[in-house]
Amino acid sequence: ILNVEQSPQSLHVQEGDSTNFTCSFPSSNFYALHWYRWETAKSPEALFVMTLNGDEKKKGRISATLNTKEGYSYLYIKGSQPEDSATYLCAFTSGGYQKVTFGTGTKLQVIP
Amino acid sequence: EAGVTQSPTHLIKTRGQQVTLRCSPISGHTSVYWYQQALGLGLQFLLWYDEGEERNRGNFPPRFSGRQFPNYSSELNVNALELEDSALYLCASSLEGLAGNTGYNEQFFGPGTRLTVL
């Protein structure tokens, strides 16, 4: 059983604050690491997929980094806005099997 | 372009009954994935279908099954429903599977079916 852990479980920040979350995953048999944004009553939306150690991806105010050797990824949000409020999920795909294991998510609430 | 669609949106069943959930992928996508999110838990991988065949399944009992049709739509069947099957069931689709010949393929999720077992 693969363990994908996310921290913190939930987070409240003020509008304009920057924040970051952590996703930990097995460092062996790595294939890909995904980040999703899941707003209440909507479908999960893919943010990033990263496959190479040292990958850094950016989309607007959101960016992510990947360290496959030590098994972690960080998601950063710069200048949080109320519309960033959502649950952020990471998911790990192991090589060969194409099973996707999700973390339990970090629930972000941005307070105006 | 239409996204992934699922039906029904909500469903209430009683213990022991059987249920069928449906998913239509994005046009051109050949892979369909099913996930379960039970209350308080993360998304759990259930099944992966590609080109009409089951390619992989998660750690779920055999009463969870499904199929993929020639038009790539998919059904998830759950027999002998138990209370703990109450969950949100999400379907996702992608091109050629996650590690297709063209490289990594992003998954697109449907809105889900909320199943309540009484």
Side-chain angles (χ1 to χ4, degrees):
Chain A
I1 295 177
L2 300 173
N3 285 321
V4 178
E5 297 181 357
Q6 291 187 245
S7 62
Q9 249 187 338
S10 64
L11 196 54
H12 290 76
V13 301
Q14 292 290 328
E15 181 176 353
D17 286 351
S18 294
T19 187
N20 65 85
F21 326 131
T22 305
C23 173
S24 301
F25 52 86
S27 55
S28 60
N29 203 22
F30 176 87
Y31 184 79
L33 192 284
H34 329 230
W35 281 100
Y36 291 88
R37 180 170 176 272
W38 195 0
E39 288 183 76
T40 303
K42 294 187 178 179
S43 309
E45 171 197 355
L47 287 173
F48 305 115
V49 56
M50 294 182 286
T51 57
L52 297 176
N53 185 43
D55 254 358
E56 292 188 25
K57 294 283 177 89
K58 187 174 181 182
K59 186 184 286 190
R61 294 179 290 98
I62 305 176
S63 59
T65 61
L66 178 68
N67 183 322
T68 61
K69 295 189 188 307
E70 295 182 40
Y72 64 84
S73 174
Y74 294 135
L75 186 80
Y76 301 91
I77 302 179
K78 186 177 176 182
S80 303
Q81 299 297 308
E83 58 265 30
D84 296 329
S85 297
T87 296
Y88 291 82
L89 298 171
C90 72
F92 166 80
T93 303
S94 56
Y97 300 103
Q98 297 196 30
K99 279 189 186 180
V100 182
T101 303
F102 280 82
T104 51
T106 293
K107 187 171 183 178
L108 172 68
Q109 184 72 39
V110 181
I111 304 161
Chain B
E1 180 184 298
V4 177
T5 60
Q6 291 186 243
S7 63
T9 53
H10 294 84
L11 204 49
I12 299 175
K13 292 283 189 178
T14 56
R15 285 176 61 191
Q17 285 189 308
Q18 179 265 343
V19 68
T20 298
L21 311 182
R22 295 177 176 82
C23 172
S24 291
I26 289 172
S27 176
H29 287 190
T30 62
S31 274
V32 171
Y33 310 82
W34 287 95
Y35 295 90
Q36 181 199 65
Q37 188 189 37
L39 191 63
L41 298 178
L43 281 176
Q44 303 290 317
F45 169 75
L46 261 167
L47 289 160
W48 169 35
Y49 290 96
D50 185 59
E51 296 284 359
E53 293 192 18
E54 182 180 305
R55 302 292 187 180
N56 213 339
R57 66 179 291 128
N59 297 320
F60 282 84
R63 56 191 187 83
F64 286 84
S65 65
R67 55 180 172 167
Q68 187 178 35
F69 298 98
N71 66 355
Y72 304 116
S73 66
S74 176
E75 284 182 353
L76 173 69
N77 299 295
V78 188
N79 294 321
L81 284 167
E82 300 179 3
L83 296 178
E84 53 265 32
D85 297 334
S86 294
L88 177 68
Y89 290 85
L90 285 174
C91 167
S93 74
S94 73
L95 290 167
E96 298 181 290
L98 290 174
N101 294 327
T102 56
Y104 184 86
N105 293 308
E106 180 182 339
Q107 289 186 74
F108 294 83
F109 284 84
T113 294
R114 174 75 64 184
L115 172 65
T116 302
V117 182
L118 302 176

